[in-house]
Amino acid sequence: MSRTGEIVLGVISALMTLLSIVLVTILVISGSNVLKDEAFTTEFQNVIAEEPTMTESDLQMIDDNMHLVIDAFNIFGWVFIIILVISLILNIIGIVSISKNKNPKLAGIMFIIAGLFAGILSPTSLLLYIAAIMCFVRKPPVQLQEEFYTTEKTL
């Protein structure tokens, strides 16, 4: 049985996940560099200081906790990248298992888990869910044996 639809959906979602990994990596690296830049930090503090509702204690608290925000941005960014890499690996396992027609149920399970890691309702995960449903629903055609259709005449 041809599983071209599942393979195509899996490959498209793998490419989308790979693109997401590259874009999020660029965002995390460039964002952390911008946040660590002294000129950006100074300009940010000047803009906050001009806010009329800010008190001196608020400004001091923002200044003290700025490094925590930068660290949290880096940590959450890299965790998100690791989750996307896990999703890509599971997606590739699903593609390989379905392309060899070995075990479509395993491929469907891998597609569902990869979809959860890719984001519960992202376009990538929706493609993976559709591929998983196709893996579970499509059954190979039943091969009828010829002996059931022939009747033997008994004398």
Side-chain angles (χ1 to χ4, degrees):
M1 167 175 226
S2 176
R3 298 279 187 171
T4 307
E6 292 93 327
I7 293 171
V8 168
L9 290 173
V11 168
I12 291 171
S13 62
L15 292 174
M16 290 172 69
T17 304
L18 186 63
L19 179 65
S20 298
I21 291 170
V22 169
L23 292 177
V24 171
T25 302
I26 291 170
L27 177 70
V28 168
I29 291 172
S30 62
S32 64
N33 288 337
V34 167
L35 290 174
K36 289 179 182 176
D37 185 25
E38 191 64 38
F40 174 80
T41 306
T42 305
E43 183 64 28
F44 178 75
Q45 288 172 345
N46 290 338
V47 169
I48 294 296
E50 292 174 1
E51 181 68 32
T53 59
M54 285 291 183
T55 63
E56 193 64 38
S57 63
D58 292 338
L59 294 174
Q60 185 62 36
M61 184 180 70
I62 290 172
D63 188 40
D64 292 341
N65 295 322
M66 188 69 158
H67 70 287
L68 294 175
V69 173
I70 295 170
D71 291 341
F73 178 78
N74 283 332
I75 290 170
F76 286 121
W78 288 112
V79 166
F80 187 60
I81 291 169
I82 290 169
I83 289 171
L84 286 175
V85 168
I86 292 170
S87 172
L88 181 63
I89 291 169
L90 293 172
N91 191 356
I92 291 171
I93 291 171
I95 293 169
V96 168
S97 68
I98 196 73
S99 65
K100 294 183 178 183
N101 278 334
K102 285 187 174 182
N103 195 351
K105 290 189 187 237
L106 172 68
I109 292 169
M110 290 297 135
F111 286 151
I112 288 174
I113 296 171
L116 292 174
F117 278 114
I120 295 183
L121 289 176
S122 68
T124 304
S125 65
L126 293 177
L127 290 176
L128 288 169
Y129 298 150
I130 293 169
I133 291 170
M134 290 172 70
C135 286
F136 291 130
V137 172
R138 291 177 63 188
K139 303 286 183 201
V142 176
Q143 304 225 347
L144 299 175
Q145 295 179 354
E146 199 173 306
E147 63 189 54
F148 291 116
Y149 288 108
T150 61
T151 58
E152 293 181 8
K153 295 182 181 180
T154 56
L155 295 175

